[in-house]
Amino acid sequence: MKIAILPGDGIGPEVMREALKVLEVVEKKTGKTFEKIFGHIGGEAIDKFGDPLPEETRRICMEADAIFLGSVGGPKWDNLPPEKRPEIGGLLALRKMLNLYANIRPIKVYRSLVSISPLKERVIEAGVDLVTVRELSYGVYYGKPRGIDEEKGFDTMIYDRKTVEYIARTAFEIARNRRKKVTSVDKANVLYSSMLWRKVVSEVAEDYPDVELSHMYVDNAAMQLILRPSQFDVILTTNMFGDILSDESAALPGSLGLLPSASFGDKNLYEPAGGSAPDIAGKNVANPIAQILSLAMMLEFSFGMVDEARKIEKAVEMVIEEGYRTRDIAEDPEKAVSTSQMGDLICKKLEEIW
Ligand code: IPM
Ligand code: MN
């Protein structure tokens, strides 16, 4: 069991450290050990090797059973040519290299977080338990032609049948193990790529008569997520709409620091949905929970360690229930715990409940 570990930039290394502590507890309790190979990606890789996705990192990833990533990017590298930036040259290039076709971003609002949610209690209490299934290797993030000069900047949004079919099947399969509802989000009243998307998703749905499919325009979906989030089970959508809606879904419990993700492809990659948060990097205040829950997803989906994953999720939930908060979710910032304290609390809880 070999894991490529890419902490990256900003808060990446700090939250990664806490997730690795949790992994250590899992190793101790199960007697299983993981081989951990560290690699460089993003801005820090540019500083060291002049390349946001160095050859060595590609090799480490190809040799690993799973890839565990922190985050990339920061203002320091924003003025580089687009293809050399941490986001495009690092993360997006890695996603493409691994053919990561589906990005799974689950969000649940714990009872004790209801008071932190920016929404009214009655909206949240109706139950928020949804997962965004975001297409991750095509769409406007990758379509050609794209470019920029002094006068114009342009991108191309393309979807082909095969890509849509694949991601749609993934969403329907996931829905089968949940509440059996798929909401496909597009902009089929305007965009041609969305017209094809809607058509293909409807065709795939015929193979899943037990799953209920509805279509929603993205502008409406953005509104419905806030008005009545309990109506969603699986949100199936494109690369860019999924990027936007998943951040919005993280606002339901109150912080992007709670949103993990798993990406499926030739090799699976696990990363928190939030960014590198350069403004709070290095201060030991970031929320490590998204990274820790991404670890749980890795254990479940790449190593079949379902019980262990559930235990980690349980430990996280219990620590939150007990009232511990990092700054992003604290009602009283004076009482917030640090990144490393939160990691320690979760490790301790995990040992207790094992
Ligand atoms: C995400 C991030 C990335 C994306 C950025 C950092 C390129 O926002 O994983 O959601 O847009 O996909
Ligand atoms: Mn994003």
Side-chain angles (χ1 to χ4, degrees):
M1 299 191 291
K2 211 186 244 188
I3 310 173
I5 296 176
L6 314 176
D9 305 316
I11 60 168
E14 293 163 67
V15 291
M16 178 62 83
R17 200 172 304 127
E18 302 314 309
L20 294 181
K21 281 190 202 163
V22 174
L23 182 58
E24 239 176 74
V25 175
V26 173
E27 291 181 315
K28 201 170 90 190
K29 291 291 182 182
T30 59
K32 294 179 179 159
T33 49
F34 291 87
E35 194 182 335
K36 304 172 199 76
I37 311 189
F38 287 78
H40 298 275
I41 189 165
E44 55 99 15
I46 295 174
D47 290 349
K48 235 175 148 162
F49 303 99
D51 182 349
L53 187 63
E55 195 47 47
E56 194 199 46
T57 303
R58 293 172 190 262
R59 187 181 51 76
I60 291 171
C61 291
M62 291 319 284
E63 286 171 4
D65 299 307
I67 294 125
F68 195 34
L69 184 113
S71 51
V72 303
K76 183 174 173 194
W77 306 282
D78 279 351
N79 293 325
L80 290 171
E83 302 297 324
K84 297 220 151 30
R85 279 184 212 160
E87 292 86 350
I88 297 181
L91 184 56
L92 265 55
L94 179 62
R95 287 175 178 171
K96 196 70 175 177
M97 178 183 102
L98 299 169
N99 282 317
L100 299 177
Y101 62 90
N103 179 235
I104 315 297
R105 298 184 162 183
I107 201 86
K108 225 186 213 161
V109 180
Y110 302 115
R111 190 171 297 278
S112 58
L113 284 179
V114 167
S115 61
I116 288 147
S117 172
L119 300 189
K120 289 220 162 60
E121 277 185 23
R122 66 177 160 77
V123 177
I124 293 298
E125 272 169 352
V128 175
D129 181 3
L130 61 89
V131 52
T132 306
V133 177
R134 167 188 178 193
E135 191 289 309
L136 200 64
S137 281
Y138 293 88
V140 74
Y141 270 52
Y142 292 95
K144 287 191 174 124
R146 65 193 314 203
I148 182 169
D149 59 29
E150 283 308 311
E151 298 307 320
K152 61 183 186 306
F154 57 98
D155 300 277
T156 302
M157 193 187 285
I158 298 187
Y159 272 108
D160 60 30
R161 169 172 287 276
K162 197 170 127 246
T163 306
V164 183
E165 251 185 59
Y166 216 54
I167 185 80
R169 286 198 190 282
T170 307
F172 281 105
E173 294 290 339
I174 290 173
R176 271 199 167 148
N177 293 318
R178 297 175 48 101
R179 299 198 309 283
K180 300 187 170 49
K181 267 180 76 172
V182 170
T183 308
S184 175
V185 174
D186 61 36
K187 188 71 186 170
N189 49 349
V190 175
L191 301 176
Y192 288 94
S193 55
S194 279
M195 292 172 203
L196 180 90
W197 176 279
R198 190 173 280 222
K199 183 162 173 265
V200 175
V201 170
S202 301
E203 286 168 16
V204 170
E206 287 173 18
D207 292 342
Y208 298 85
D210 52 322
V211 178
E212 182 196 326
L213 169 68
S214 56
H215 300 279
M216 203 180 265
Y217 296 136
V218 63
D219 46 354
N220 184 28
M223 181 177 70
Q224 294 296 332
L225 255 180
I226 302 296
L227 277 182
R228 207 164 58 82
S230 61
Q231 69 185 287
F232 295 105
D233 178 19
V234 175
I235 296 178
L236 159 64
T237 192
T238 63
N239 203 343
M240 187 166 72
F241 298 158
D243 178 44
I244 298 166
L245 293 179
S246 63
D247 266 33
E248 192 185 347
S249 76
L252 300 173
S255 172
L256 202 46
L258 297 167
L259 183 60
S261 91
S263 303
F264 301 144
D266 296 347
K267 295 264 164 79
N268 295 353
L269 178 145
Y270 302 85
E271 58 174 324
S276 58
D279 52 322
I280 57 164
K283 295 185 179 156
N284 199 24
V285 297
N287 190 342
I289 289 179
Q291 190 79 45
I292 290 169
L293 292 177
S294 299
L295 169 73
M297 293 184 92
M298 176 169 76
L299 294 180
E300 175 171 358
F301 297 123
S302 282
F303 300 105
M305 296 168 73
V306 181
D307 288 350
E308 290 80 355
R310 290 295 93 77
K311 283 196 174 89
I312 294 173
E313 288 161 6
K314 185 82 203 151
V316 167
E317 188 173 345
M318 287 173 78
V319 168
I320 291 177
E321 293 285 341
E322 282 172 18
Y324 295 106
R325 305 276 185 266
T326 40
R327 213 174 65 178
D328 55 321
I329 49 173
E331 274 167 302
D332 180 357
E334 296 280 297
K335 292 200 189 120
V337 300
S338 67
T339 308
S340 50
Q341 281 169 330
M342 183 55 99
D344 289 342
L345 284 160
I346 292 168
C347 287
K348 191 156 158 269
K349 186 57 73 184
L350 186 58
E351 299 226 22
E352 274 169 35
I353 64 168
W354 200 273

